[in-house]
Each structure stands twice: as C-alpha cells, then as structure tokens.
Coordinates of all heavy atoms in Angstrom, one line a residue:
M68 N -159.7 214.6 80.8 CA -158.9 215.0 79.7 C -159.4 216.4 79.1 O -160.5 216.7 79.3 CB -158.9 214.0 78.6 CG -158.5 212.6 79.1 SD -156.8 212.5 79.7 CE -156.0 212.3 78.2
C69 N -158.6 217.1 78.4 CA -158.9 218.3 77.7 C -158.4 218.3 76.3 O -157.6 217.5 75.9 CB -158.3 219.5 78.4 SG -158.9 219.6 80.1
A70 N -158.8 219.2 75.5 CA -158.4 219.4 74.1 C -157.8 220.8 74.0 O -158.4 221.7 74.4 CB -159.5 219.1 73.1
V71 N -156.7 220.8 73.4 CA -156.0 222.1 73.0 C -155.9 222.2 71.5 O -155.4 221.2 70.9 CB -154.7 222.3 73.7 CG1 -154.0 223.6 73.3 CG2 -154.8 222.2 75.3
I72 N -156.4 223.3 71.0 CA -156.4 223.4 69.5 C -155.6 224.6 69.1 O -155.8 225.7 69.6 CB -157.8 223.5 69.0 CG1 -158.6 222.3 69.4 CG2 -157.9 223.7 67.5 CD1 -160.1 222.5 69.5
G73 N -154.7 224.4 68.2 CA -153.8 225.5 67.7 C -154.1 225.6 66.2 O -154.2 224.6 65.4
V74 N -154.3 226.9 65.7 CA -154.7 227.1 64.3 C -153.8 228.3 63.8 O -153.7 229.3 64.4 CB -156.2 227.6 64.2 CG1 -156.5 227.8 62.7 CG2 -157.1 226.5 64.8
Y75 N -153.2 228.1 62.6 CA -152.6 229.1 61.9 C -152.9 228.8 60.4 O -152.5 227.8 59.9 CB -151.1 229.1 62.1 CG -150.3 229.9 61.0 CD1 -150.5 231.2 61.0 CD2 -149.6 229.4 60.0 CE1 -149.9 232.1 60.0 CE2 -149.0 230.1 59.0 CZ -149.1 231.5 59.0 OH -148.5 232.3 58.1
L76 N -153.7 229.7 59.9 CA -154.1 229.6 58.4 C -153.9 230.8 57.7 O -154.3 231.9 58.1 CB -155.6 229.2 58.3 CG -156.1 227.8 58.9 CD1 -157.5 227.7 59.0 CD2 -155.5 226.7 58.0
Q77 N -153.2 230.7 56.5 CA -153.0 231.9 55.7 C -154.2 232.1 54.9 O -154.6 231.2 54.1 CB -151.7 231.7 54.8 CG -150.5 231.6 55.6 CD -149.2 231.4 54.8 OE1 -149.3 230.9 53.6 NE2 -148.1 231.8 55.2
K78 N -154.7 233.3 54.9 CA -155.9 233.7 54.1 C -156.9 232.6 54.0 O -157.2 232.0 53.0 CB -155.4 233.9 52.6 CG -154.2 234.8 52.5 CD -154.5 236.2 52.9 CE -153.3 237.1 52.5 NZ -152.6 237.6 53.7
P79 N -157.5 232.3 55.2 CA -158.5 231.2 55.3 C -159.7 231.4 54.4 O -160.2 232.5 54.3 CB -158.9 231.2 56.8 CG -158.5 232.5 57.3 CD -157.4 233.0 56.5
T80 N -160.2 230.3 53.9 CA -161.5 230.3 53.1 C -162.6 229.8 54.0 O -162.4 229.3 55.1 CB -161.3 229.3 52.0 OG1 -161.2 228.0 52.5 CG2 -160.0 229.7 51.1
S81 N -163.7 229.8 53.4 CA -165.0 229.3 54.2 C -164.8 227.8 54.6 O -165.2 227.4 55.6 CB -166.2 229.5 53.4 OG -166.2 229.0 52.2
E82 N -164.2 227.1 53.6 CA -163.9 225.7 53.9 C -163.0 225.5 55.1 O -163.1 224.6 55.8 CB -163.3 224.9 52.6 CG -164.3 224.8 51.5 CD -164.4 226.1 50.6 OE1 -163.5 227.0 50.7 OE2 -165.4 226.2 49.9
D83 N -161.9 226.4 55.2 CA -161.1 226.4 56.3 C -161.7 226.6 57.6 O -161.5 226.0 58.6 CB -159.9 227.4 56.1 CG -159.0 227.1 54.9 OD1 -158.7 225.9 54.7 OD2 -158.4 228.1 54.4
F84 N -162.7 227.6 57.6 CA -163.5 227.9 58.8 C -164.3 226.7 59.2 O -164.4 226.4 60.4 CB -164.3 229.2 58.7 CG -163.5 230.4 58.6 CD1 -163.6 231.2 57.4 CD2 -162.7 230.8 59.5 CE1 -162.9 232.4 57.3 CE2 -161.9 232.0 59.5 CZ -162.0 232.8 58.3
E85 N -164.9 226.1 58.3 CA -165.7 224.8 58.5 C -164.8 223.7 59.1 O -165.3 223.0 60.0 CB -166.4 224.4 57.3 CG -167.6 225.2 56.9 CD -168.6 225.2 58.1 OE1 -169.0 224.1 58.6 OE2 -169.2 226.3 58.4
M86 N -163.6 223.6 58.6 CA -162.6 222.6 59.1 C -162.4 222.8 60.6 O -162.3 222.0 61.4 CB -161.4 222.5 58.3 CG -160.3 221.5 58.9 SD -158.7 221.8 58.3 CE -158.4 223.5 58.7
V87 N -162.0 224.1 60.9 CA -161.7 224.5 62.3 C -162.9 224.2 63.2 O -162.8 223.7 64.3 CB -161.2 226.0 62.4 CG1 -161.1 226.4 63.9 CG2 -160.0 226.2 61.6
K88 N -164.1 224.5 62.7 CA -165.3 224.2 63.5 C -165.5 222.8 63.7 O -165.7 222.4 64.8 CB -166.5 224.8 62.7 CG -167.9 224.5 63.4 CD -169.0 225.1 62.6 CE -170.3 224.9 63.2 NZ -171.4 225.4 62.5
R89 N -165.2 222.0 62.7 CA -165.3 220.5 62.8 C -164.3 220.0 63.9 O -164.6 219.1 64.7 CB -165.1 219.8 61.5 CG -166.3 219.7 60.7 CD -166.2 218.8 59.5 NE -164.9 218.8 58.8 CZ -164.6 219.6 57.8 NH1 -165.5 220.5 57.4 NH2 -163.4 219.6 57.2
V90 N -163.0 220.6 63.9 CA -162.0 220.2 64.9 C -162.5 220.4 66.3 O -162.4 219.6 67.1 CB -160.7 220.8 64.6 CG1 -159.7 220.6 65.7 CG2 -160.1 220.4 63.3
F91 N -163.1 221.6 66.5 CA -163.7 221.9 67.8 C -164.8 220.9 68.2 O -164.9 220.4 69.3 CB -164.2 223.3 67.9 CG -163.2 224.4 68.3 CD1 -162.5 225.0 67.4 CD2 -163.0 224.6 69.6 CE1 -161.6 226.0 67.8 CE2 -162.1 225.6 70.0 CZ -161.4 226.3 69.1
L92 N -165.8 220.7 67.3 CA -166.8 219.8 67.5 C -166.4 218.4 67.8 O -166.9 217.7 68.7 CB -167.9 219.8 66.4 CG -168.5 221.2 66.2 CD1 -169.5 221.2 65.0 CD2 -169.3 221.7 67.5
E93 N -165.4 217.9 67.1 CA -164.9 216.6 67.2 C -164.0 216.4 68.5 O -163.9 215.4 69.1 CB -164.1 216.1 66.0 CG -165.0 215.9 64.8 CD -164.2 215.5 63.6 OE1 -163.1 215.0 63.7 OE2 -164.8 215.5 62.6
S94 N -163.5 217.6 69.0 CA -162.7 217.6 70.2 C -163.5 217.7 71.5 O -163.0 217.6 72.5 CB -161.7 218.8 70.1 OG -160.8 218.6 69.0
K95 N -164.8 218.1 71.4 CA -165.6 218.3 72.5 C -165.7 217.1 73.4 O -165.9 217.2 74.6 CB -166.9 218.9 72.2 CG -168.0 217.9 71.8 CD -169.3 218.5 71.6 CE -170.3 217.5 71.3 NZ -171.7 218.0 71.3
I96 N -165.5 215.9 72.8 CA -165.5 214.6 73.6 C -164.4 214.7 74.7 O -164.5 214.0 75.7 CB -165.4 213.5 72.7 CG1 -165.7 212.1 73.4 CG2 -164.0 213.3 72.1 CD1 -167.1 211.9 73.8
R97 N -163.3 215.5 74.4 CA -162.2 215.6 75.3 C -162.5 216.6 76.5 O -161.7 216.7 77.4 CB -161.0 216.1 74.6 CG -160.6 215.2 73.4 CD -160.1 213.9 73.8 NE -158.7 214.1 74.4 CZ -158.1 213.1 75.0 NH1 -158.6 211.9 75.0 NH2 -156.9 213.3 75.5
G98 N -163.6 217.4 76.4 CA -163.9 218.3 77.4 C -165.2 219.0 77.1 O -165.4 219.7 76.1
M99 N -166.2 218.7 77.9 CA -167.5 219.2 77.6 C -168.0 220.2 78.6 O -169.1 220.7 78.6 CB -168.6 218.1 77.5 CG -168.3 217.1 76.4 SD -169.6 216.0 76.0 CE -171.0 217.0 75.7
H100 N -167.1 220.7 79.5 CA -167.4 221.5 80.6 C -167.2 223.0 80.3 O -167.8 223.9 80.9 CB -166.7 221.2 81.9 CG -167.2 219.8 82.4 ND1 -166.3 218.8 82.6 CD2 -168.4 219.3 82.7 CE1 -166.9 217.7 83.0 NE2 -168.2 218.0 83.1
A101 N -166.3 223.3 79.4 CA -166.0 224.7 78.9 C -165.3 224.7 77.6 O -164.6 223.8 77.3 CB -165.2 225.4 80.0
T102 N -165.5 225.8 76.9 CA -164.8 226.0 75.6 C -164.3 227.4 75.6 O -165.0 228.3 76.1 CB -165.8 225.8 74.5 OG1 -166.4 224.5 74.6 CG2 -165.1 225.9 73.1
G103 N -163.2 227.6 75.0 CA -162.6 229.0 74.9 C -161.7 229.2 73.7 O -161.1 228.2 73.1
I104 N -161.5 230.4 73.3 CA -160.5 230.7 72.3 C -159.8 232.1 72.5 O -160.3 232.9 73.3 CB -161.2 230.9 70.9 CG1 -162.3 232.0 70.9 CG2 -161.8 229.5 70.3 CD1 -162.9 232.3 69.6
S105 N -158.6 232.1 72.0 CA -157.8 233.4 72.0 C -157.3 233.6 70.6 O -156.9 232.6 70.0 CB -156.6 233.3 73.0 OG -157.1 233.2 74.4
F106 N -157.4 234.8 70.1 CA -157.0 235.1 68.8 C -156.5 236.5 68.6 O -156.7 237.3 69.5 CB -158.1 234.7 67.8 CG -159.4 235.5 68.1 CD1 -159.7 236.6 67.5 CD2 -160.3 235.0 69.0 CE1 -160.9 237.3 67.8 CE2 -161.5 235.6 69.4 CZ -161.8 236.8 68.7
L107 N -156.0 236.8 67.4 CA -155.5 238.2 67.1 C -156.4 238.8 66.0 O -156.2 238.6 64.9 CB -154.0 238.1 66.6 CG -153.0 237.7 67.6 CD1 -151.7 237.4 66.9 CD2 -152.8 238.7 68.7
P108 N -157.5 239.5 66.4 CA -158.4 240.0 65.4 C -157.9 241.3 64.8 O -157.2 242.0 65.4 CB -159.7 240.2 66.2 CG -159.2 240.5 67.5 CD -158.0 239.8 67.8
A109 N -158.5 241.6 63.6 CA -158.2 242.9 62.9 C -158.7 244.0 63.7 O -158.2 245.1 63.6 CB -158.7 242.8 61.5
W110 N -159.8 243.8 64.4 CA -160.5 245.0 65.1 C -160.0 245.3 66.5 O -160.5 246.1 67.2 CB -162.0 244.8 65.1 CG -162.4 243.3 65.6 CD1 -162.6 242.2 64.7 CD2 -162.5 242.9 66.9 NE1 -163.0 241.2 65.5 CE2 -162.9 241.5 66.8 CE3 -162.4 243.3 68.1 CZ2 -163.1 240.6 67.9 CZ3 -162.5 242.6 69.3 CH2 -162.9 241.3 69.2
S111 N -158.8 244.7 66.8 CA -158.2 244.9 68.2 C -156.7 245.1 68.1 O -156.1 244.6 67.2 CB -158.6 243.7 69.1 OG -158.0 243.9 70.4
D112 N -156.2 245.7 69.1 CA -154.8 245.9 69.1 C -154.0 244.8 69.9 O -152.8 244.8 69.9 CB -154.4 247.2 69.9 CG -154.8 248.5 69.1 OD1 -154.8 248.4 67.9 OD2 -155.0 249.5 69.6
G113 N -154.7 243.8 70.4 CA -154.1 242.7 71.1 C -154.8 241.4 71.0 O -155.7 241.3 70.1
I114 N -154.5 240.6 71.9 CA -155.2 239.2 71.9 C -156.6 239.3 72.5 O -156.7 240.0 73.6 CB -154.3 238.2 72.7 CG1 -152.9 238.1 72.1 CG2 -155.0 236.9 72.9 CD1 -152.1 237.3 72.9
E115 N -157.5 238.8 71.9 CA -158.9 238.7 72.4 C -159.1 237.3 73.0 O -158.8 236.3 72.3 CB -159.9 239.0 71.4 CG -159.9 240.5 70.9 CD -160.4 241.4 71.9 OE1 -161.4 241.1 72.6 OE2 -159.8 242.6 72.1
T116 N -159.8 237.1 74.1 CA -160.0 235.8 74.7 C -161.5 235.7 75.0 O -162.1 236.6 75.7 CB -159.2 235.6 75.9 OG1 -157.8 235.6 75.5 CG2 -159.5 234.3 76.5
Y117 N -162.1 234.7 74.7 CA -163.6 234.4 75.0 C -163.6 233.0 75.5 O -163.1 232.1 74.9 CB -164.4 234.7 73.8 CG -164.4 236.1 73.4 CD1 -163.5 236.4 72.3 CD2 -165.2 237.0 74.0 CE1 -163.4 237.7 71.9 CE2 -165.1 238.3 73.5 CZ -164.2 238.7 72.5 OH -164.2 240.0 72.1
K118 N -164.4 232.8 76.6 CA -164.6 231.4 77.2 C -165.9 231.4 77.8 O -166.5 232.4 78.2 CB -163.4 231.1 78.1 CG -163.2 232.1 79.2 CD -162.0 231.8 80.0 CE -161.8 233.0 81.0 NZ -160.6 232.7 81.8
D119 N -166.5 230.1 77.8 CA -167.8 230.0 78.4 C -167.9 228.5 78.9 O -167.2 227.6 78.5 CB -168.9 230.2 77.3 CG -170.2 230.5 77.9 OD1 -170.4 230.4 79.2 OD2 -171.1 230.9 77.2
H120 N -168.8 228.3 79.9 CA -168.9 227.1 80.5 C -170.0 226.2 79.8 O -171.0 225.8 80.3 CB -169.4 227.2 82.0 CG -168.4 227.9 82.8 ND1 -167.3 227.4 83.3 CD2 -168.3 229.2 83.3 CE1 -166.6 228.1 84.0 NE2 -167.2 229.3 84.0
V121 N -169.7 226.0 78.5 CA -170.5 225.2 77.6 C -169.7 224.3 76.7 O -168.5 224.7 76.5 CB -171.4 226.1 76.7 CG1 -172.4 227.0 77.6 CG2 -170.6 227.0 75.8
P122 N -170.2 223.3 76.2 CA -169.5 222.4 75.2 C -169.3 223.2 73.9 O -170.1 224.2 73.6 CB -170.3 221.2 75.0 CG -171.6 221.5 75.6 CD -171.5 222.6 76.6
A123 N -168.4 222.8 73.1 CA -168.1 223.5 71.8 C -169.3 223.7 71.0 O -169.4 224.8 70.3 CB -167.0 222.7 71.1
D124 N -170.2 222.8 70.9 CA -171.4 223.0 70.0 C -172.3 224.1 70.5 O -173.2 224.5 69.7 CB -172.1 221.7 69.8 CG -172.7 221.0 71.1 OD1 -172.2 221.4 72.1 OD2 -173.6 220.1 71.0
Q125 N -172.2 224.5 71.7 CA -173.0 225.6 72.2 C -172.2 226.9 72.4 O -172.7 227.9 72.8 CB -173.6 225.2 73.6 CG -174.5 224.1 73.6 CD -174.9 223.6 74.9 OE1 -175.0 224.4 75.9 NE2 -175.3 222.4 75.0
F126 N -170.9 226.9 72.0 CA -170.0 228.1 72.2 C -170.4 229.0 71.0 O -170.2 228.7 69.9 CB -168.5 227.6 72.1 CG -167.6 228.6 72.4 CD1 -167.5 229.3 73.6 CD2 -166.6 229.0 71.4 CE1 -166.6 230.3 73.8 CE2 -165.7 229.9 71.6 CZ -165.6 230.6 72.9
P127 N -170.7 230.2 71.4 CA -171.1 231.2 70.4 C -170.1 231.5 69.3 O -170.5 231.7 68.1 CB -171.5 232.5 71.2 CG -171.5 232.1 72.6 CD -170.8 230.8 72.7
W128 N -168.9 231.5 69.6 CA -167.8 231.9 68.7 C -167.5 230.8 67.7 O -166.9 231.0 66.7 CB -166.5 232.3 69.4 CG -166.6 233.7 69.9 CD1 -167.0 234.1 71.1 CD2 -166.1 234.8 69.2 NE1 -167.0 235.5 71.2 CE2 -166.4 236.0 70.0 CE3 -165.6 235.1 67.9 CZ2 -166.1 237.3 69.6 CZ3 -165.3 236.4 67.5 CH2 -165.6 237.4 68.3
I129 N -168.1 229.6 67.9 CA -167.8 228.5 66.9 C -168.4 228.8 65.5 O -167.9 228.4 64.6 CB -168.4 227.2 67.5 CG1 -167.8 226.0 66.8 CG2 -169.9 227.1 67.3 CD1 -166.4 225.7 67.2
N130 N -169.4 229.7 65.5 CA -170.0 230.2 64.2 C -169.5 231.5 63.8 O -170.0 232.1 62.8 CB -171.6 230.1 64.3 CG -172.0 228.7 64.5 OD1 -171.6 227.8 63.7 ND2 -172.8 228.5 65.4
R131 N -168.5 232.1 64.5 CA -168.1 233.5 64.2 C -166.5 233.5 64.0 O -165.9 234.5 64.1 CB -168.4 234.4 65.3 CG -169.9 234.5 65.6 CD -170.2 235.3 66.9 NE -169.6 236.6 66.8 CZ -169.6 237.4 67.8 NH1 -170.1 237.2 68.9 NH2 -169.0 238.7 67.7
L132 N -166.0 232.3 63.6 CA -164.5 232.2 63.4 C -164.0 233.1 62.3 O -162.9 233.6 62.4 CB -164.2 230.8 63.1 CG -164.4 229.7 64.1 CD1 -164.2 228.3 63.6 CD2 -163.6 230.0 65.3
H133 N -164.8 233.5 61.4 CA -164.4 234.5 60.3 C -164.1 235.8 61.0 O -163.4 236.6 60.3 CB -165.5 234.6 59.2 CG -166.8 235.1 59.7 ND1 -167.7 234.2 60.4 CD2 -167.3 236.3 59.8 CE1 -168.8 234.9 60.8 NE2 -168.6 236.2 60.4
E134 N -164.6 236.1 62.1 CA -164.4 237.5 62.8 C -163.0 237.4 63.5 O -162.6 238.5 64.0 CB -165.5 237.8 63.8 CG -166.8 238.0 63.1 CD -167.9 238.3 64.1 OE1 -167.6 238.9 65.1 OE2 -169.0 237.8 63.9
C135 N -162.3 236.3 63.5 CA -161.1 236.1 64.2 C -159.9 236.4 63.4 O -158.8 236.3 63.9 CB -161.0 234.7 64.9 SG -162.4 234.3 65.9
V136 N -160.1 236.8 62.1 CA -158.9 236.9 61.2 C -158.2 238.2 61.6 O -158.8 239.2 61.9 CB -159.5 236.9 59.8 CG1 -158.3 237.3 58.8 CG2 -160.1 235.6 59.4
A137 N -156.9 238.2 61.5 CA -156.0 239.3 61.8 C -155.9 240.2 60.7 O -156.4 240.0 59.6 CB -154.6 238.8 62.2
D138 N -155.3 241.4 60.9 CA -155.0 242.4 59.9 C -154.4 241.9 58.6 O -154.7 242.4 57.5 CB -154.1 243.6 60.5 CG -154.8 244.5 61.3 OD1 -156.1 244.6 61.3 OD2 -154.2 245.2 62.2
D139 N -153.5 241.0 58.8 CA -152.8 240.5 57.6 C -153.6 239.4 56.8 O -153.1 238.8 55.9 CB -151.4 239.9 58.0 CG -151.5 238.8 59.0 OD1 -152.6 238.3 59.2 OD2 -150.4 238.3 59.4
G140 N -154.8 239.1 57.2 CA -155.8 238.2 56.6 C -155.5 236.8 57.0 O -156.2 235.9 56.5
N141 N -154.6 236.6 58.0 CA -154.4 235.2 58.5 C -155.2 234.9 59.8 O -155.6 235.9 60.5 CB -152.9 235.0 58.7 CG -152.1 235.1 57.5 OD1 -152.6 234.8 56.3 ND2 -150.9 235.5 57.6
L142 N -155.4 233.7 60.1 CA -156.0 233.3 61.3 C -154.9 232.7 62.3 O -154.3 231.7 62.0 CB -157.1 232.2 61.0 CG -157.8 231.7 62.2 CD1 -158.6 232.8 63.0 CD2 -158.8 230.6 61.8
Y143 N -154.8 233.4 63.4 CA -154.0 232.9 64.5 C -154.8 232.6 65.7 O -155.5 233.6 66.3 CB -152.9 234.0 64.9 CG -152.2 234.5 63.7 CD1 -152.6 235.7 63.1 CD2 -151.0 233.9 63.3 CE1 -151.9 236.2 62.1 CE2 -150.3 234.4 62.2 CZ -150.8 235.6 61.6 OH -150.0 236.1 60.6
L144 N -155.1 231.4 66.1 CA -156.0 231.0 67.1 C -155.6 229.9 68.0 O -155.0 228.9 67.4 CB -157.4 230.7 66.4 CG -158.6 230.3 67.3 CD1 -159.8 230.9 66.7 CD2 -158.7 228.9 67.5
I145 N -155.8 230.0 69.3 CA -155.6 228.9 70.2 C -157.0 228.6 70.9 O -157.6 229.7 71.3 CB -154.6 229.2 71.3 CG1 -153.2 229.4 70.6 CG2 -154.5 228.1 72.3 CD1 -152.2 229.9 71.6
G146 N -157.4 227.4 71.0 CA -158.6 227.1 71.6 C -158.5 225.9 72.5 O -157.5 225.2 72.6
H147 N -159.6 225.7 73.4 CA -159.6 224.6 74.2 C -161.1 224.1 74.4 O -162.0 224.8 74.3 CB -159.0 225.0 75.6 CG -159.9 225.7 76.5 ND1 -159.9 227.1 76.4 CD2 -160.7 225.4 77.4 CE1 -160.9 227.6 77.3 NE2 -161.3 226.5 77.9
C148 N -161.2 222.8 74.8 CA -162.4 222.2 75.2 C -161.9 221.6 76.6 O -161.1 220.7 76.6 CB -162.9 221.1 74.3 SG -163.4 221.8 72.7
R149 N -162.5 222.1 77.7 CA -162.0 221.8 79.0 C -162.9 220.7 79.6 O -164.2 220.8 79.6 CB -161.9 223.0 79.9 CG -161.3 222.7 81.2 CD -161.2 224.0 82.1 NE -162.4 224.6 82.4 CZ -163.2 224.2 83.4 NH1 -162.9 223.2 84.2 NH2 -164.3 224.9 83.6
Y150 N -162.3 219.8 80.3 CA -163.0 218.8 81.2 C -162.5 219.1 82.6 O -161.4 219.1 82.9 CB -162.5 217.4 80.8 CG -163.3 216.3 81.5 CD1 -164.6 215.9 81.1 CD2 -162.7 215.7 82.6 CE1 -165.2 214.9 81.8 CE2 -163.4 214.7 83.3 CZ -164.6 214.3 83.0 OH -165.3 213.4 83.6
S151 N -163.5 219.4 83.4 CA -163.2 219.8 84.9 C -163.1 218.6 85.7 O -163.5 217.5 85.4 CB -164.2 220.8 85.4 OG -165.5 220.3 85.3

C-alpha cells in the first residue's frame, strides 16, 4: 500500500505546517520505502519535486515545509509515502 497526500492551505501558519508534518508521519505506515513531495515554491518558476528512498520521518523536507509556500502565500503540495 502507499499513501498519497494532497495539501492546499491558504496562508499557512506554523500550526498548519505541524499538521502536514503529522499527516506525513502518520501516513508512513502506508509506505516506508520512499517519501516525496511536489510543490509550487515562491523561489521557482515551476513545480519542484524532491524524493528519497527513506521513510517520512527521515525525509529532509518534512522539516522544511515552510519553504514550499508559493508566491501568493498559499501552500500547494502533493506528497507520497511509497511501499515498494
């Protein structure tokens, strides 16, 4: 099984980022072989994608979700926890 996570948050707060982090951590049971995210950051002209062969609790971006916010201040993110 795998987990697919979709996030759309208007003007996310620190509590919102913690909630998204918890969703990833609680979803890792659905897939512990890889974790990844795609998002629309303010510092890029397009979609950025990062993935790694680690469970969600070891995924570096899990603690950098605040960097994923778009130009308009909203968070648009799709993530996964993969089970191979």
